[in-house]
Amino acid sequence: MSGRALLMWDEAVTQYDFGSEHPMDPVRLALTMSLVRAYGLDRAVDVVAAKPAGDSTLRLVHREDYVEAVRAASADPRHADQAYGLGTVDDPAFAGMHEVSALIAGQSVGAAEAVWRGEAEHAVNFAGGLHHAMPGAASGFCIYNDASLAIARLLELGAERVAYVDVDVHHGDGVQAAFWEDPRVLTVSLHEHPRTLFPQTGWPEETGPSGPGEGGAVNVALPAGTGDAGWLRAFHAVVPELIADFRPQVLVTQHGADTHFEDPLAHLAVSLDAQRAVQEACHELAHEYAGGRWVALGGGGYAVVDVVPRSWTHLVGIAAHAPVDPESVIPSSWRDEVYARTRQLGPGRMTDGRWPVAFRDWSEGYDPADRLDQAVLATRKAAFPLRGLLA
């Protein structure tokens, strides 16, 4: 297997644009790629563009009538059908929507193909991670579910065990739904509690249907306000043990940056430094249990200047085995570009000043009166025995 990493990138992905009033501003993608280049990481990875996902690939997950509805809305946004979740406040229709959504999906599918075939050890598509799209509907800023399509392609190529770990602040509901009954796929999602955040799913009791898929879904519903120490404690109390038991052939991870304390759409209080720590942990898990095969995706993130570019540049650096020093001063050329594009002042360093982040490991015991520990314990009690693990 090649030790090189791929960065999937096509400038046209920045055309995934719901309009100037929408929080998912595509400038976050452009600024991330610019920061990757500012650190020279584009020379530490192979930057490649895959072709858009064709209809046969999209139908691995999405219904044919839905794809046709997206195509119709793409050709004329006035024809958006809200029965398919199109033309809504969350998912406004725009010209070219089908083409750019298929392009983003194609990057994730191409990443999965390259990793499975041994053409690269790791592959990153930070434009991807659109995890809310359902087989027959758009949802939560997501048109095509590139994460599910990448996993479905891995299964089509012969993978028998694929683990998906989602650390976006929102529940990875679309990926969970796509593989709800498939024992070949383990989905694990850490997210803000559904009582306080869209999509109001991802309760610990959601563990898969009775039968072969039982225990195939694992959900950690974190209390609003959870910060670095709690977030890392929850991740390490759940994810490594599950991955060690499942021993996936490929690890697919989703790294939405909207857990950050500056994100305007959610209520966790996680720093960039904790996000970087989880990225490193996922990288280590891929090497320890998945033969190094790692597909890393972006996701949410609406602090589009201060947070998203730094978080995903760290992700690219980790995948490239060329990690960016958290204390490094961000090149002034990038900060100049930020101001030119947004009239905002960009951050000065690649840290929020919390590196390294400390947390108390679950093995040291838990406090039954602590809300974070209650959330972790609820997940372990609901899901672990179904997999033959101790709660």
Side-chain angles (χ1 to χ4, degrees), residues 21-328:
E21 300 303 313
H22 197 281
M24 187 179 261
D25 187 336
V27 75
R28 69 196 193 123
L29 303 179
L31 290 177
T32 299
M33 192 61 198
S34 293
L35 190 56
V36 165
R37 290 179 176 133
Y39 274 101
L41 294 173
D42 55 326
R43 299 188 296 274
V45 296
D46 294 328
V47 180
V48 299
K51 64 183 181 180
D55 283 9
S56 61
T57 297
L58 294 173
R59 287 198 296 268
L60 291 174
V61 169
H62 294 290
R63 296 199 321 249
E64 185 173 3
D65 61 313
Y66 172 61
V67 174
E68 289 306 312
V70 174
R71 185 177 277 110
S74 181
D76 186 345
R78 295 173 299 177
H79 292 164
D81 188 343
Q82 293 198 4
Y84 291 102
L86 302 170
T88 63
V89 172
D90 275 1
D91 297 283
F94 60 91
M97 179 172 62
H98 165 77
E99 288 77 13
V100 69
S101 299
L103 180 64
I104 291 172
Q107 305 316 301
S108 293
V109 171
E113 291 173 344
V115 167
W116 180 254
R117 291 169 176 159
E119 296 163 6
E121 193 171 38
H122 312 324
V124 179
N125 177 25
F126 58 73
L130 304 177
H131 59 168
H132 294 307
M134 293 292 175
S139 177
F141 314 164
C142 305
I143 306 300
Y144 293 139
N145 195 317
D146 64 285
S148 293
L149 289 164
I151 295 168
R153 180 64 175 140
L154 288 167
L155 299 177
E156 189 178 50
L157 291 172
E160 296 175 347
R161 295 181 313 284
V162 179
Y164 172 75
V165 176
D166 188 319
V167 296
D168 193 288
V169 77
H170 302 92
H171 177 225
D173 57 339
V175 185
Q176 176 179 288
F179 303 104
W180 185 248
E181 298 181 350
D182 195 331
R184 297 174 295 175
V185 181
L186 171 67
T187 64
V188 186
S189 179
L190 284 81
H191 47 267
E192 185 179 327
H193 201 286
R195 274 196 296 262
T196 53
L197 195 66
F198 174 90
Q200 282 78 53
T201 58
W203 299 78
E205 295 79 15
E206 295 173 36
T207 56
S210 58
E214 191 170 36
V218 180
N219 289 290
V220 187
L222 300 168
T226 296
D228 287 359
W231 195 62
L232 292 176
R233 176 169 167 79
F235 179 92
H236 287 281
V238 173
V239 177
E241 195 170 344
L242 290 168
I243 299 301
D245 173 69
F246 190 63
R247 295 198 167 265
Q249 293 161 298
V250 186
L251 179 63
V252 179
T253 57
Q254 197 268 22
H255 297 272
D258 43 9
T259 52
H260 196 273
F261 55 78
E262 288 187 15
D263 197 90
L265 299 189
H267 317 97
L268 295 191
V270 173
S271 72
L272 180 78
D273 300 294
Q275 291 177 349
R276 185 185 189 279
V278 161
Q279 294 165 4
E280 286 195 329
C282 289
H283 180 219
E284 292 167 4
L285 289 170
H287 277 290
E288 189 166 359
Y289 299 112
R293 288 179 289 271
W294 183 31
V295 177
L297 308 173
Y302 310 101
V304 299
V305 169
D306 284 349
V307 178
V308 174
R310 292 190 296 161
S311 186
W312 292 346
T313 297
H314 277 306
L315 179 64
V316 173
I318 290 164
H321 297 132
V324 176
D325 181 354
E327 293 294 335
S328 68

